[in-house]
Amino acid sequence: MTQRSRKPVQDELTGDLFASLPEKEDVVLPTDVTGMLALLARWHEDGWLRRIDLELAHFLAEGAEPSPALLPVLLAAALCSWQLGRGHVCLDLQAVLEQPMQVLSIPVEPWLQTLTLADWQAACVACPSLVAQPSAMGPEDEMSADGARTTPLVLVQHRLYLRRFWQYEQDVQQGIRQRLMLPGLSGEEEPRLQEALVVLFGGPGSAGAEHAAHAATRSVHMAGMQAAGAVGDAAAEPGRRADWQRIACALAARRRFGLITGGPGTGKTTTVIRLLALLQWLALAGQGQFLRIGLAAPTGKAAARLGSSISSAIDRLPLKDVPQGEAIRAAIPRSVSTLHRLLGSRPGTRHFRHDARNPLPLDVLVIDEASMIDLEMMAQVMHALPPRARLILLGDKDQLASVEAGAILGELCAHAREGRYWPETADWVARVAQEPIDRGLQADGAEDGTLLDQSVGMLRHSHRFGADSGIGRLAALVNDGEVARVQRLWDEVQAGGASGQVPDIARIEVDVERWAALRQLVVHGRLDGVPADQGPVGYAHYLRWMHQNRPADEARLDDWAAGVLQAHGRFQLLCALRQGSWGVDRLNRQIALWLQSAGLLVASEGWYAGRPVIVTRNDYELGLMNGDVGIALAAQGGRLRVAFPAEGGSHGIRWVLPSRLQAAETVFAMTVHKAQGSEFVHAALAMPAELSPVLTRELVYTAITRARRFFTLVGPGGLDGVLGQTIRRRVLRASGLMAGVLQARD
């Protein structure tokens, strides 16, 4: 092949992938193994493949019989590995051939033009020592004693997997399927479920002490409606909005697998706590003993956030007048663990202490922020959870998918907005939960809707963001890809100013040469025209609080540290990228310099009082997980120690010497991925000037919804540039999770 004389030109942010495209005469696939490996090596040099992708191709070539079919298989394997690194579970051969650049984000289209799907599939079939097909697998292809498989690749129709990830997908499918097929309630438990729902949620359309009388009247009314064959919409009271917290709770109790999804402020935590109270109520009445319940989240930050919010939700449960109500309340756990801690991580291995041979001692497991769970971790959960134990996933389906391969919650809740409930499901909800499911959310026919859809409850009303909330409106428009309407909203913000109708969102246009507005934002938080005592804060707020409230009494250091951490959580700058002018690395350095020049920090490098840090790797010895955030503080004798919130959302503090933190970095700026599971009073998103594969509407939506009261968008250009293109792009990860039996009706 003709050697290219020029090297790729690397853009500061994403790299100019097209700079080293070959001349037309170069665009041919090699005809031998040496040539194919050389081509893949060139792609690696150009930044189109990772080292591990190239090494996989070499590994497969070394042990395979030379044949013409081997070349397309080596190509597919390298691309499959590349896609895995980008979060895809498999390589969709058909999609790659139809839209290579959109699917792969690397410009390899010229070399694929001579391939067809049939030829690619035939090549895989012709290499049985490398590629297996599930329909052709025999006993010799089963798992061996050491866990090794006989072929590294698996082909399922047009999807090519690394075998390990195909197995993970099978394990997750099986775990979900077996729980969907198991009833969560017996017929005699339904009246108790109805009673519990009335106590926990009040009578439909009402609340408070009158629920019992209302429930009795309602039950008679519903019985009459059912006898007349009129349920669903006919049972709805005119003008009354369905209580989707109540419906989601009932649906999750009905089977042993449930999903509760919803945007920020829709009451996911409240709903799941009421669900747990309901399950304990039923267990006590039916079995005379309580269920063993576990609460978990993917990261330490998410676990701490859930832990801090569940205690008040448990305390608010209306169980005072319920027989053994206080015992039910006490049977709901208040501590939350990370999934790694729950499963019992074994450092240096992929294995956990809890697995199928040593299952978790649980009857119910609730996982919050489930959008962050990758396929491998979900498979480990399925291995460790007893087959009859309930699994409840909680989260926002529209947030970013996991950093690693898979988009579990997004795929499972793909039809949550449409509902697709069967008529029998709607009838059951009307009878037991005494709530109507609108006919627009019911399945059109017998072929529409799946068994999985019947276990998905989507919370549809935000209690945090009202109709006049700029944050709520912006998040919804971005989530729907409505670029033109987003522009109209920004026009409204600009026209109204800080005291206008949408004072909770703002936009700052800056570039890498003019950062004065960005400095004002991150240091002080206030925007032009916003009163200092009313507007959002920047990092000066927590640093001043740290300096002004340092206790003389060493016994109060924990309270002081907790206050500093809380004050720090009032503002966070989020970034889409790690590298480049608008990346985390540069902004962290710049912000530290700004704060030092403002007299708020004594240094901008190394360890100094006030430095916020994020843990970047699990440290089981210290009990710190990837994503945990702490702040370096001057403790006894002025010696620096790093304060982290105690595990599970308790109010305690963990003090760690800086020298023991081997994997931590400054976090004035944080990637949006790292911010998942966190919320801040004021969140700002720094958008880069150039488009990157990581820029999607899910990223922008996730950033917006990290803000509780104020959101600021920072960056160059407007919606006619990178921002508009980003909002139009969705995360579409290749997988087969929803294929096959998981889609079955019964």
Side-chain angles (χ1 to χ4, degrees), residues 308-317 334:
S308 64
S309 62
I310 59 173
S311 290
S312 60
I314 294 173
D315 293 338
R316 292 195 305 269
L317 287 171
R334 295 174 183 259

Side-chain angles (χ1 to χ4, degrees), residues 220-231 234-236:
V220 172
H221 174 71
M222 291 297 294
M225 297 292 289
Q226 292 162 8
V231 295

Side-chain angles (χ1 to χ4, degrees), residues 322-440:
V322 175
Q324 302 192 64
E326 293 309 310
I328 294 173
R329 192 192 312 273
I332 302 172
R334 295 174 183 259
S335 62
V336 186
S337 173
T338 64
L339 283 172
H340 282 84
R341 291 193 183 102
L342 178 73
L343 297 178
S345 296
R346 293 179 174 176
T349 76
R350 282 192 146 91
H351 304 292
F352 293 88
R353 182 166 56 86
H354 289 290
D355 54 20
R357 293 168 295 183
N358 180 31
L360 290 164
L362 295 176
D363 302 301
V364 181
L365 175 61
V366 176
I367 304 178
D368 193 22
E369 296 291 349
S371 63
M372 302 169 66
I373 306 175
D374 61 86
L375 182 67
E376 181 176 1
M377 176 55 74
M378 183 58 73
Q380 300 293 353
V381 170
M382 294 301 186
H383 293 162
L385 199 60
R388 298 187 64 84
R390 291 178 184 269
L391 177 60
I392 300 162
L393 302 183
L394 198 66
D396 187 345
K397 68 179 182 64
D398 296 315
Q399 285 189 25
L400 279 169
S402 62
V403 175
E404 304 297 331
I408 302 295
L409 189 68
E411 288 190 75
L412 296 176
C413 296
H415 302 290
R417 181 175 293 189
E418 300 88 60
R420 306 207 309 178
Y421 297 111
W422 298 332
E424 52 264 41
T425 301
D427 292 352
W428 183 87
V429 170
R431 183 180 72 255
V432 175
Q434 304 181 14
E435 288 288 341
I437 292 181
D438 188 89
R439 292 204 183 276

Side-chain angles (χ1 to χ4, degrees), residues 296-304 336-347 352 372 377 613-630 644-648 654 656 660-661 663-665 670 674 676 678:
T299 67
K301 187 70 173 180
V336 186
S337 173
T338 64
L339 283 172
H340 282 84
R341 291 193 183 102
L342 178 73
L343 297 178
S345 296
R346 293 179 174 176
F352 293 88
M372 302 169 66
M377 176 55 74
V613 295
I614 186 169
V615 177
T616 58
R617 186 174 64 244
N618 294 342
D619 190 323
Y620 303 100
E621 183 179 351
L622 295 177
L624 296 174
M625 295 291 116
N626 186 1
D628 287 351
V629 173
F644 290 92
E647 181 184 356
R654 289 175 292 174
V656 179
R660 299 197 65 189
L661 292 174
E665 60 187 35
M670 175 190 296
K674 288 289 189 183
Q676 284 188 271
S678 303

